[in-house]
Every structure is written in structure tokens, then in C-alpha cells.
Amino acid sequence: MSVHKQELKKITTHQLQEMKNRGEKIAMLTAYDYSMAKIIDGTGIDVILVGDSASNVMAGHETTLPITLDQMIYHAASVVRAVKRALVVVDLPFGTYQGSSGEALRSAIRIMKEAGAHAVKLEGGSEIKDSVERILSAGIPVMGHLGLTPQSIYKFGTYTVRAKEEEEANKLMKDAKLLQDCGCFGIVLEKIPATLAKKVSLSLHIPTIGIGAGPDVDGQVLVMQDMLGINKEFKPRFLRRYADLHAVITEAVVHYVSDVKAKEFPSEEEKY
Ligand code: KIV
């Protein structure tokens, strides 16, 4: 008797490339825990990013800088346990890849081995070329991240749109080409003018994934807590809210508190 295992199609970096080739947009969202990752993996999402935005939305820090490699591995391992289909990309946190290419490789290997991730993402261009190449040489897929790179917030001083001036736009174009030539399988373009994002996307053969980069990129990414309306304070122009979970959760919890106080929960049917 033979056992037929149902084939579950997993998303690979090659499939993302094929999506770009045939003009199919790539959908990417962040997740940081098992329960949410399980829900979004079941929707047909292509890529789940365990972003270092966990530092903001999960831990309440003002920036992404404080999150550690151990904490990223904890979040990533929880996500990987839930995911059956999507490609899971994990951010290398600040301070774990800029020092030397050897350190970058050790950090990436820990993420792959201890969390079971499928790829890593690093912020920056020419400055981190050696780290990107070293990680790729170990067979670990790398995604780049250009434009607004939140790990450099103290250098920029603000979270406003990047690469509006010609000099910075030219550097971004060069960095994108360099990351592609190194062997990155894709690049996140964050908060840059839509015209520049289009130019970059047309000039590259690898996919670009935009956040605040307009429609003419190969895919889109949003932070899940923002697009679900859990986080009310963050309202950039690029953010579309697909739900108001803040209101839904508040209403449910207010109802629960009131039921407990009124001794209406649990009921006869809800007790053993
Ligand atoms: O950390 C993150 O969530 C990210 C996305 C904003 C692309 O890098």
C-alpha cells in the first residue's frame, strides 16, 4: 500500500523570481509569533518577514536598534513552526552584521539553524557588501533593504522619505545593482519616491518589494500590526488599514470585563 502525501507547494526564492518574470505581484507581511503566522500563512501570502520591527510592535521600543539576535531567533522560530507554505525571511538585527563579514555569517547561520528560517534580510548597500557576499557564499539566501533603513535612524535623524535628492537616488540605484550582482534574491525598497522605485524595479531582474515606494515595484510589504489597525498611532500616507482590530479587541475585552463583573461569565453551560 502506498501512502500519498498531499504535496504542499512551498514558496521559494526561485518562485519569487518567476512571479516577477510573469508580472505577478508578490505579497509580503510581517509576523512575529506562532498564532498570527499560522493565520496569515493560511491566506496564501507569499513571504512572511520576521522583521526587526518586532522591536517596536512587540517590545514597545522606540527604534529597531535594541532587539537582539536571541530575541529575533525566538520570534523567527515561533513563526517557522507555524508556516507551511510561505517563504520566511528574517531580519539580521542591528549590530550583528556590520562589524565584520565573519560576524555576519555567524549571525545568519544562527538564524538559519536555530530558527529554521529560509532567508535573511540586511539593511544597506556598498557598506555591507562583504557581509552580504560571505552569507551568500554559505548558501544562505539574502534579501537587501534600501531607502529608509530604520537601523540607521540616528544617522538620518527622521523617518521621512529617502532618496529625494539626485545624489542619494544615484547611490540607491548603484546599491540596488550591487546587491543584485552579489546574488541577493530580492530587495526591499522603503519610503522612497515612486518614480525612483519604478526606475530601480525596471532596471533589476530580481524582485523589488516596496513599503511606501508606490505601485510600480514587484511586490508590497506592510507591518501586520499596522495594516490590521492594532497600532493606532502610526499613520503614514502609505499605510492602508484593512481592519480596525484595535476597536474589535477593545469591544471584546470591555464586553468580557463587564460579563465578569456582572457574574454573567461563565454560564451554566460553560462550567464543568
Ligand atoms: O522590520 C520590518 O518590519 C521591515 C519592513 C518594514 C520591511 O524591515
Side-chain angles (χ1 to χ4, degrees), residues 76-133:
S78 309
V79 167
V80 168
R81 280 193 287 274
V83 169
K84 294 197 161 62
R85 179 179 176 275
L87 183 83
V88 180
V89 181
V90 180
D91 269 338
L92 281 189
F94 177 68
T96 66
Y97 60 95
Q98 295 93 342
S100 71
S101 61
E103 185 189 19
L105 178 59
R106 280 191 293 281
S107 305
I109 286 177
R110 281 200 61 200
I111 286 186
M112 301 300 283
K113 251 188 187 310
E114 296 176 39
H118 308 145
V120 295
K121 176 164 82 61
L122 284 70
E123 294 183 7
S126 55
E127 315 78 19
I128 55 153
K129 179 175 182 274
D130 292 348
S131 295
V132 170
E133 284 178 338

Side-chain angles (χ1 to χ4, degrees), residues 229 232 244-252:
K232 295 270 269 193
D244 185 357
L245 285 200
H246 189 283
V248 172
I249 293 169
T250 303
E251 196 188 322

Side-chain angles (χ1 to χ4, degrees), residues 15-29 45-47 143-144 185-192 194 197-198 200-202 204-223 238 242:
Q15 278 173 280
L16 299 183
Q17 183 62 58
E18 282 167 15
M19 286 182 199
K20 169 153 182 156
N21 297 349
R22 61 174 181 263
E24 178 184 339
K25 297 282 186 187
I26 297 163
M28 172 163 153
L29 268 183
I45 195 92
D46 301 308
V47 186
M143 180 170 237
F185 71 87
I187 301 177
V188 166
L189 297 175
E190 180 163 356
K191 236 178 168 184
I192 61 170
K198 180 177 182 178
V200 174
S201 306
L202 288 174
L204 298 182
H205 61 77
I206 58 170
T208 57
I209 311 288
I211 172 163
D216 298 313
V217 283
D218 304 305
Q220 298 290 333
V221 57
L222 286 175
V223 168
F238 69 77
Y242 285 84

